Amino acid sequence: MAAAMAAPGAPPAEVPSYFLCPISLQLMRDPVTLPTGISYDRAAISRWLAASAAPAACSASQRTCPVTRQPLEPELQLTPNHTLRRLIGSWVASVSPGSDVEGEVAALRPVRRDELASLLSDAAAAQVGALRKLGELVAECEDTRAMLESQDGVFDALSRVLTGASACSTAREEAVGVLASLRIPEQELVRVVSRHGNLAESLTAVLRSSNLQSRAQAVRLVRSLADVSVPAWVIGLNQELLAEVIRVVRDRVSTRATKAALHALSALCPYGRNRVKIVGAGAVPALVELLLDEPERRVCELALAVLDRLCTCAEGRAELVAHAAGVAVVGKKVLRVSDAASERAVRVLRSVARHAATPAVLQEMAHAGVVGKLCLALRSELCGVKTKEKAHEVLKLHSRIWRSSPCLSPKFLALYPS
């Protein structure tokens, strides 16, 4: 490793080893700490975690701390190491110009506001290199991200690149990446929607990209826009955009992208017309297949929340009961994931029992063990009061049929409400 000059004529001082990322062996730009106590550069550990969460990952054992090999939680939060970052910043400032490590530390020196403004000007002209550099700077440094967010017109400028006819597809993808990395105030999101009428079409094009990272970033931006809930924009969304959001779920682009897609769908569901369009775009089969894959707890909860909302319309219920594993997989999640998941699953089953209870569906619910699960939920300490009330309602609705079913074992009959 190169060395820094402490003073003229003094022997060079080695770069402190604790300033180096254990993965990249480079100076850390944005140090973060894992629960194991080991600090890494945010970009390097994020790539490591993304690789372990990707569908192509060869084994779950990769989801470990690279140094200690201790297992990491699926919903891991990276904790910024501000103390280490300040120490690195002080050390970088002490390095003499022209020293052996000048080139190595130059990239860590803070970007000046005028430099960032110049880069944004080039990015606004859809220059791919400038857009890419902006994305790198934002990803590497919180201070740079905050500085960019404070630039006048930054959100509108990047949105013009995304929606402009003159920008190439790569420039649009880079613009989406920067926008998805920024904390865009709600009023700015509303302004972007009102000024760029083809925003939905432009996001659809990026979501159709073969670049998985661009698709993940685009769905995060869709989520932000959906959370704002500008009624005119949300209700007017075309089915093509909704289909691409659902395809992110189906393709398992990444855990983070799946969560963003589910959050977006959930935020779009309150509007009745949207629920029908989301169902028509293939959401219900995609959600059932996701649940069959035994996803992590939060993904399961989000998938059931979206399914719950979709099953408030006849089209959603019809799609669920038409799927060979639909009702069964929802019943399977009761008492298996969390209280929140159990409540959502029971709500879905209540919608089916109240509005789609054909003889065949009722028989399937008994045969697949759904009725038994509802009986257990009534007595379980793992279920809240609301969940138990809804389970009781479902069981009472069809007690005459289910109590006489040969599929219901005596132990469940003993738990059946009178």
Side-chain angles (χ1 to χ4, degrees):
M1 177 58 66
M5 294 184 185
E14 287 293 332
V15 177
S17 61
Y18 45 87
F19 288 175
L20 304 178
C21 173
I23 296 175
S24 66
L25 300 181
Q26 300 296 317
L27 277 167
M28 287 184 275
R29 298 166 181 261
D30 187 8
V32 293
T33 304
L34 297 185
T36 58
I38 306 299
S39 292
Y40 301 90
D41 189 54
R42 183 185 293 275
I45 191 62
S46 295
R47 285 193 296 269
W48 170 277
L49 296 173
S52 66
C58 57
S59 80
S61 63
Q62 247 188 309
R63 187 83 179 185
T64 57
C65 173
V67 171
T68 67
R69 298 297 175 182
Q70 294 179 31
L72 300 172
E73 293 294 327
E75 298 178 48
L76 174 71
Q77 296 294 320
L78 301 175
T79 304
N81 191 332
H82 297 296
T83 300
L84 180 55
R85 185 176 169 190
R86 283 193 295 269
L87 289 171
I88 293 174
S90 298
W91 180 83
V92 167
S94 72
V95 174
S96 304
S99 70
D100 293 339
V101 291
E102 168 63 16
E104 194 168 344
V105 303
L108 276 75
R109 291 202 171 101
V111 179
R112 297 198 311 271
R113 183 170 288 274
D114 61 327
E115 292 175 333
L116 197 62
S118 176
L119 194 59
L120 178 59
S121 176
D122 292 340
Q127 294 183 21
V128 173
L131 287 162
R132 187 167 293 150
K133 182 64 176 177
L134 270 184
E136 292 171 354
L137 290 173
V138 167
E140 291 167 356
C141 182
E142 288 285 331
D143 292 342
T144 303
R145 180 171 73 164
M147 192 189 302
L148 181 60
E149 290 166 344
S150 67
Q151 294 282 326
D152 290 337
V154 58
F155 306 112
D156 187 59
L158 293 169
S159 298
R160 282 200 304 273
V161 176
L162 170 59
T163 58
S166 60
C168 66
S169 59
T170 304
R172 292 194 185 100
E173 290 173 7
E174 295 293 342
V176 165
V178 179
L179 283 168
S181 300
L182 300 178
R183 296 160 296 200
I184 309 177
E186 184 172 323
Q187 64 270 23
E188 288 291 345
L189 285 169
V190 173
R191 194 171 293 123
V192 165
V193 169
S194 64
R195 289 181 178 176
H196 304 280
N198 64 334
L199 182 61
E201 290 78 4
S202 301
L203 285 169
T204 302
V206 177
L207 284 165
R208 286 174 175 160
S209 165
S210 59
N211 186 322
L212 295 182
Q213 184 178 9
S214 295
R215 292 175 64 193
Q217 291 164 337
V219 83
R220 283 163 50 200
L221 188 54
V222 172
R223 179 201 170 173
S224 298
L225 292 164
D227 284 340
V228 172
S229 295
V230 181
W233 187 79
V234 171
I235 295 173
L237 285 179
N238 56 51
Q239 195 157 323
E240 288 77 13
L241 174 62
L242 298 172
E244 292 305 319
V245 173
I246 293 164
R247 194 162 69 91
V248 170
V249 175
R250 186 181 294 115
D251 292 351
R252 314 288 193 273
V253 171
S254 70
T255 300
R256 186 180 184 188
T258 298
K259 289 179 181 177
L262 293 172
H263 273 294
L265 292 173
S266 182
L268 295 170
C269 277
Y271 301 92
R273 190 182 303 174
N274 273 4
R275 285 197 292 271
V276 175
K277 287 193 287 188
I278 291 170
V279 170
V284 174
L287 292 169
V288 171
E289 297 299 325
L290 178 62
L291 291 172
L292 285 170
D293 279 353
E294 301 285 349
E296 65 174 65
R297 178 183 62 81
R298 187 57 184 151
V299 172
C300 185
E301 291 171 349
L302 289 170
L304 287 168
V306 177
L307 205 52
D308 173 28
R309 293 192 168 188
L310 294 180
C311 284
T312 59
C313 69
E315 292 83 356
R317 294 189 296 271
E319 284 288 315
L320 180 66
V321 300
H323 195 291
V327 173
V329 76
V330 172
K332 186 178 180 182
K333 300 306 174 186
V334 178
L335 297 176
R336 190 162 181 166
V337 181
S338 66
D339 181 36
S342 294
E343 182 181 356
R344 289 294 187 176
V346 171
R347 284 171 62 97
V348 173
L349 296 171
R350 184 181 64 164
S351 293
V352 171
R354 291 174 66 180
H355 305 293
T358 64
V361 169
L362 295 178
Q363 182 180 358
E364 180 187 356
M365 291 178 77
H367 181 73
V370 174
V371 177
K373 270 296 189 71
L374 292 172
C375 291
L376 289 173
L378 286 178
R379 312 289 181 178
S380 174
E381 296 181 357
L382 300 177
C383 288
V385 175
K386 290 183 179 180
T387 304
K388 291 181 179 181
E389 289 175 351
K390 293 177 179 65
H392 186 275
E393 179 187 345
V394 174
L395 291 169
K396 293 287 284 184
L397 274 173
H398 305 288
S399 61
R400 184 177 60 83
I401 295 174
W402 285 334
R403 287 175 72 93
S404 60
S405 172
C407 298
L408 200 63
S409 68
K411 70 175 182 178
F412 292 137
L413 277 172
L415 300 174
Y416 210 101
S418 57

